[in-house]
Amino acid sequence: MNIDFERHNAEVKDVWQAYRAHEPLRVPCIVGTNTRYFLLGKNAPFAHIDFKDYTEDPDVMFETQVRIHDWLRHHIRQDAPMGLPAEDEGWTVNVDFQNFYEAAWFGCDVFYCQGQVPDTHPRWQDPARKRELIERGVPDPFSNLMGKVRTYYEYFTEKAKSYTFKGRRVKKINPRGLGTDGPLTVAANVRGATELFTDFLEDPDYVRDLLSYITEATIVRIHAWRRFMGQPEKQEGFGFADDSVQLLSTQMYRDFVLPCHKRLREALSTTTKGGSIHLCGDSTRHFPTIRDELGIRSFDTGFPVDFKKLRRDVGPDPRGL
């Protein structure tokens, strides 16, 4: 691929500066990727790497992350820097336990399925045991899978001191656990989706208790990990997800989940406006509520979405919200 990286990067810088000044030159375009795009499928760039090896071997995870970073910077045209990173920027490596890390932290067993990302089995599907998790209390923020996250993070930090790839060092290492996939989504993972959404009808008090418990545990974990990383417990803005809200009506979202989302924002953010939310699927019916009640200004949407209607619903100008 013949690309003038210097010219490309200068244009990207101008595009984002104009966008953040609310005077866009054009719509910025980025390609959102996940490790699965690089490991899964016979034509994937790193299809020879098994997800179990990637997850269980910190050296494989570390070095694959660097190579993915390099591949993206040399093959994907988008509004992001391309070419080798500057020496002071270096490579970025993530402790990458995918979307199973929260359920595993609560005690669910991880399993590996051929041709798929790792996942967890719901542990509290049995109705006779469903309150057991709540009764156990909040797990230690550095226990279970999160203990492994800390081990990997510390190993990566040490490895980065002497590791180079294409003449560049690893300059940034991101742990897992500073965000959340959302209380409702995690509840579906630990209880089982069928069981949880049956509980909405048959045992709504349990649903409220479970969501409240997961929310509190999430806040405790993120506060602890922010302290571990030398960060303040509350920061400007907060980005999170909760894909399972697409399965609720707007009234059920307001009644059951919105109070939990408000608790997350109040505990983790210094501001009442700003921040972002990722919602797979079509959750757009909730967007006006999320805009008004949570002050969210950036929505990462799923598919399929009617963006023309969505723009009418949430308003044309974020500065006026």
Side-chain angles (χ1 to χ4, degrees):
M1 184 179 292
N2 187 19
I3 300 174
D4 185 336
F5 294 131
E6 184 175 350
R7 179 179 178 182
H8 168 87
N9 293 342
E11 179 184 339
V12 166
K13 182 178 179 180
D14 291 343
V15 165
W16 283 109
Q17 283 181 342
Y19 175 81
R20 294 183 179 110
H22 300 287
E23 298 177 353
L25 303 174
R26 57 174 171 77
V27 176
C29 181
I30 59 173
V31 179
T33 59
N34 182 286
T35 311
R36 69 187 68 190
Y37 297 113
F38 300 92
L39 270 60
L40 299 180
K42 63 180 182 180
N43 295 321
F46 304 99
H48 61 286
I49 299 173
D50 181 78
F51 239 118
K52 184 174 183 179
D53 293 336
Y54 172 82
T55 304
E56 298 292 340
D57 188 327
D59 288 311
V60 174
M61 182 183 290
F62 184 101
E63 291 168 20
T64 302
Q65 285 275 320
V66 172
R67 283 161 175 77
I68 287 174
H69 193 182
D70 176 60
W71 193 94
L72 276 169
R73 293 185 68 112
H74 288 87
H75 291 84
I76 302 298
R77 290 178 180 266
Q78 58 176 319
D79 286 316
M82 295 187 69
L84 283 175
E87 290 190 18
D88 60 344
E89 177 188 359
W91 306 110
T92 297
V93 170
N94 303 309
V95 179
D96 180 26
F97 287 108
Q98 298 286 294
N99 296 85
F100 65 82
Y101 77 97
E102 287 179 283
W105 176 55
F106 282 112
C108 293
D109 293 327
V110 179
F111 70 94
Y112 298 93
C113 189
Q114 185 65 34
Q116 281 293 343
V117 295
D119 204 349
T120 54
H121 293 291
R123 186 171 177 178
W124 289 277
Q125 290 177 297
D126 183 347
R129 297 180 56 224
K130 67 182 187 180
R131 284 193 171 269
E132 180 183 284
L133 174 61
I134 301 172
E135 293 166 355
R136 290 168 56 181
V138 174
D140 184 288
F142 300 95
S143 66
N144 300 332
L145 193 280
M146 293 309 300
K148 195 171 185 176
V149 170
R150 180 171 180 169
T151 298
Y152 274 44
Y153 176 79
E154 292 173 341
Y155 180 77
F156 287 0
T157 301
E158 189 64 29
K159 185 180 177 79
K161 293 178 181 178
S162 59
Y163 180 91
T164 61
F165 180 75
K166 294 188 176 180
R168 299 294 188 270
R169 307 292 293 270
V170 171
K171 292 288 188 176
K172 186 175 183 181
I173 300 170
N174 298 315
R176 198 68 162 166
L178 291 171
T180 179
D181 286 331
L184 183 63
T185 302
V186 175
N189 289 336
V190 300
R191 170 76 171 119
T194 299
E195 291 77 11
L196 178 68
F197 288 99
T198 300
D199 290 330
F200 271 92
L201 298 176
E202 297 182 349
D203 196 354
D205 287 341
Y206 164 74
V207 174
R208 296 183 195 280
D209 289 345
L210 180 61
L211 292 175
S212 178
Y213 163 79
I214 290 173
T215 301
E216 180 60 26
T218 300
I219 291 168
V220 169
R221 188 195 74 235
I222 293 176
H223 278 170
W225 273 86
R226 284 181 172 179
R227 292 193 300 269
F228 174 72
M229 297 295 294
Q231 302 174 5
E233 289 186 352
K234 298 181 72 171
Q235 301 175 12
E236 184 176 356
F238 179 62
F240 66 105
D242 212 344
D243 294 343
S244 291
V245 301
Q246 66 181 289
L247 303 173
L248 297 181
S249 69
T250 52
Q251 191 58 52
M252 291 177 75
Y253 170 73
R254 280 184 169 275
D255 290 347
F256 287 89
V257 183
L258 179 59
C260 299
H261 287 176
K262 284 185 175 181
R263 282 175 62 191
L264 288 173
R265 184 202 63 195
E266 290 163 3
L268 299 169
S269 176
T270 58
T271 57
T272 58
K273 287 189 177 182
S276 62
I277 191 166
H278 165 85
L279 295 169
C280 284
D282 187 356
S283 296
T284 53
R285 62 191 175 280
H286 301 309
F287 283 19
T289 300
I290 293 170
R291 175 201 62 194
D292 296 338
E293 298 289 341
L294 297 176
I296 294 294
R297 293 298 179 265
S298 176
F299 293 91
D300 184 16
T301 70
F303 176 86
V305 169
D306 182 342
F307 285 102
K308 185 176 181 179
K309 180 179 184 303
L310 177 59
R311 172 55 72 189
R312 289 198 302 267
D313 290 344
V314 300
D317 189 346
R319 290 173 296 181
L321 295 179

